[in-house]
């Protein structure tokens, strides 16, 4: 039996997607034995206006523009690659990765390839095609079609919402073949409730220790507020922020402490309103985005959460802790976001945040366990292949 000792993670530069890959690799015991590659989509200028095009088209477009304009500005903006602080992350090259997997197979065994995000699909599927007997390719998030291009697809159940009768009535017939997915899940698919992430029990124990000195002395209960950003299916702005601020003011008397953090997607109009409301309140701390990110510490030490409805990742993480999770803005969400929120409500994991809550009260539910369940399925599929993890 062949032994899998290493992994390749193919990311797209977005933490939400890459954390899913790394979380799975960690759960499989390969946290110190993986290499991160990245598919970088050119940003800025005309790239922003044609963001829906495949990434390879953007790269060709960037080359043409640089050749025509001599690396000059286009309408006042430069066409630049994604800004990335990780200098050692290499561009994902399917031929190179497949070649290395083949050349090192006898010495190091098979290579596990884990990818997430639309831009990574052509790369991961090409690796599978180029080295089918040397790699095991897992695509996280639904790749839309032709699932046989991968050894395994791991995706939330709500990605299949477009196949429901309700969703089908909302899609013009000529667009249906372009909407994820096209067929019901088959043997290639592992379904999860939410998004895979890195907030497993081991990580949270480590975070609890690391953040002990800062978070353990805070008066209880500690309410953590995590704010994402509007999407096409969860749209909001200044009024949303004002309503959230008013609701938080209402529950402050039942909080010992309140900590607020914003994501990279949070609009400045939203963050400015909340900062102006709470910056000088003695019970409230607002992460400034510059100090060490307290996200994992918040997951470990919070007694309850308020999370904006737009973020599947943040909701999945919080609901894996078993602690009370309040959702703000669910009524603004449509399509599969609404289906996901309904699934959490049906489990008893989340409740709407109205501002009338007593944060000292709690409730119990079965925490999400998507990471372990997905990892178990990977191990099972590897065994069917005659492979095992080290």
């Amino acid at each position: 039996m062949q032994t899998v000792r290493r992994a390749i993670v193919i990311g797209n530069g977005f933490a939400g997607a890459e954390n899913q890959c790394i979380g799975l690799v960690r759960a499989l015991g390969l946290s110190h034995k993986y290499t991160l590659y990245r598919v970088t989509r050119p940003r800025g200028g005309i790239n922003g206006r044609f963001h829906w095009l495949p990434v390879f088209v953007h790269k060709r477009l960037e080359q043409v523009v640089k050749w025509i304009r001599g690396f000059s500005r286009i309408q006042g903006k430069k066409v630049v690659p994604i800004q990335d602080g990780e200098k050692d992350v290499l561009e994902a090259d399917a031929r190179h990765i497949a070649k290395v997997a083949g050349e090192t197979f006898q010495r190091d065994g098979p290579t596990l390839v884990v990818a997430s995000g639309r831009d990574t699909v052509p790369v991961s599927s090409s690796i599978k095609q180029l080295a089918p007997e040397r790699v095991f390719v897992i695509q996280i998030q639904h790749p839309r079609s032709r699932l046989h291009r991968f050894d395994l697809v791991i995706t939330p159940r709500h990605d299949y919402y477009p196949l429901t009768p309700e969703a089908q009535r909302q899609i013009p017939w000529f667009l249906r073949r372009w909407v994820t997915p096209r067929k019901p899940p088959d043997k290639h698919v592992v379904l999860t409730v939410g998004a895979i992430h890195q907030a497993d029990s081991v990580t949270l124990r480590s975070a609890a220790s690391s953040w002990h000195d800062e978070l353990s002395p805070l008066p209880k209960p500690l309410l953590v507020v995590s704010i994402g950003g509007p999407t096409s299916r969860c749209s909001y702005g200044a009024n949303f922020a004002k309503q959230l601020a008013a609701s938080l003011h209402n529950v402050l008397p039942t909080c010992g402490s309140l900590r607020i953090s914003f994501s990279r997607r949070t609009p400045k109009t939203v963050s400015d309103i909340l900062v102006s409301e709470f910056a000088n309140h003695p019970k409230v701390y607002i992460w400034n985005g510059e100090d060490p990110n307290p996200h994992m510490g918040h997951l470990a030490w919070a007694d309850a959460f308020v999370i904006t409805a737009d973020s599947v990742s943040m909701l999945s993480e919080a609901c894996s802790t078993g602690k009370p999770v309040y959702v703000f803005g669910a009524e603004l969400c449509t399509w599969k976001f609404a289906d996901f929120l309904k699934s959490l409500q049906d489990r008893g994991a989340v409740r709407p945040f109205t501002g009338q809550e007593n944060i000292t009260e709690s409730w119990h539910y079965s925490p999400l366990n998507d990471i372990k369940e997905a990892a178990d399925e990977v191990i099972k599929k590897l065994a069917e292949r005659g492979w095992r993890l080290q």
Side-chain angles (χ1 to χ4, degrees), residues 73-114:
R73 293 180 179 272
I74 300 176
Q75 297 183 356
K77 294 184 178 180
K78 288 184 178 179
V79 178
V80 295
I82 184 171
Q83 295 301 312
D84 189 271
E86 297 171 322
K87 301 299 184 182
D88 57 341
V89 177
L90 300 176
E91 179 73 15
D93 183 317
R95 292 187 179 278
H96 170 74
I97 294 171
K99 180 181 178 182
V100 172
E103 292 174 345
T104 59
F105 180 79
Q106 293 300 324
R107 183 186 72 231
D108 298 325
T111 301
L112 184 72
V113 178
V114 186

Side-chain angles (χ1 to χ4, degrees), residues 21-227:
C21 299
I22 297 170
L24 180 62
V25 167
R26 284 175 52 86
L28 294 170
L30 298 173
S31 58
H32 300 295
K33 301 172 184 176
Y34 75 89
T35 304
L36 173 63
Y37 291 85
R38 185 165 288 159
V39 178
T40 54
R41 175 181 287 267
R43 308 282 173 174
I46 58 176
N47 290 298
R49 292 197 293 274
F50 295 97
H51 59 87
W52 45 270
L53 289 171
V55 68
F56 76 89
V57 175
H58 280 272
K59 291 182 179 292
R60 294 283 179 84
L61 182 63
E62 183 185 40
Q63 291 173 354
V64 170
V65 168
K66 286 182 177 179
W67 179 74
I68 294 175
R69 298 294 181 107
F71 303 92
S72 66
R73 293 180 179 272
I74 300 176
Q75 297 183 356
K77 294 184 178 180
K78 288 184 178 179
V79 178
V80 295
I82 184 171
Q83 295 301 312
D84 189 271
E86 297 171 322
K87 301 299 184 182
D88 57 341
V89 177
L90 300 176
E91 179 73 15
D93 183 317
R95 292 187 179 278
H96 170 74
I97 294 171
K99 180 181 178 182
V100 172
E103 292 174 345
T104 59
F105 180 79
Q106 293 300 324
R107 183 186 72 231
D108 298 325
T111 301
L112 184 72
V113 178
V114 186
S116 180
R118 177 167 60 97
D119 287 343
T120 69
V121 168
V123 177
S124 59
S125 59
S126 294
I127 294 170
K128 168 70 174 172
Q129 183 179 26
L130 292 167
E133 304 302 321
R134 303 291 185 262
V135 297
F136 189 91
V137 178
I138 301 170
Q139 187 70 35
I140 300 176
Q141 298 180 350
H142 204 286
R144 300 194 179 191
S145 64
R146 294 185 288 174
L147 303 188
H148 65 275
R149 295 178 295 173
F150 314 94
D151 292 295
L152 204 62
V153 171
I154 301 175
T155 194
R157 289 184 178 89
H158 61 260
D159 270 354
Y160 281 87
Y161 172 75
L163 292 184
T164 65
E166 178 185 3
Q168 289 287 297
R169 289 192 292 270
Q170 301 175 48
I171 312 170
W173 65 268
F174 57 88
L175 293 178
R176 288 178 185 172
R177 69 184 301 266
W178 303 106
V179 177
T180 303
R182 299 181 189 175
K183 297 179 180 179
D186 61 16
K187 64 181 181 179
H188 294 90
V189 179
V190 173
L191 295 178
T192 59
V193 177
I196 298 174
H197 49 80
Q198 297 191 59
D200 56 19
S201 58
V202 175
T203 301
L204 292 184
R205 282 197 298 271
S206 175
S209 175
S210 299
W211 288 90
H212 177 274
D213 292 347
E214 180 172 341
L215 300 182
S216 67
L218 295 178
K220 299 291 187 176
L222 168 58
L223 178 64
V224 166
V225 181
S226 299
I227 301 169

Side-chain angles (χ1 to χ4, degrees), residues 261-337:
S261 63
F262 306 107
S263 76
R264 289 185 296 177
R265 297 189 298 109
T266 306
K268 192 173 185 299
T269 53
V270 171
S271 59
D272 283 351
I273 289 171
L274 289 159
V275 169
S276 67
E277 287 283 340
F278 296 104
N280 297 316
H281 197 290
K283 280 189 176 183
V284 180
Y285 166 87
I286 302 176
W287 180 50
N288 61 14
E290 298 175 1
D291 295 334
N293 191 332
H295 181 61
M296 285 297 176
H298 285 171
L299 289 171
W301 283 100
D303 296 297
F305 302 91
V306 172
I307 298 177
T308 54
D310 57 274
S311 179
V312 173
S313 294
M314 290 194 298
L315 285 165
S316 299
E317 290 171 336
C319 289
S320 71
T321 67
K323 301 171 184 177
V325 180
Y326 297 100
V327 180
F328 190 76
E331 70 282 358
L332 301 174
C333 294
T334 61
W335 196 239
K336 65 181 183 179
F337 282 91

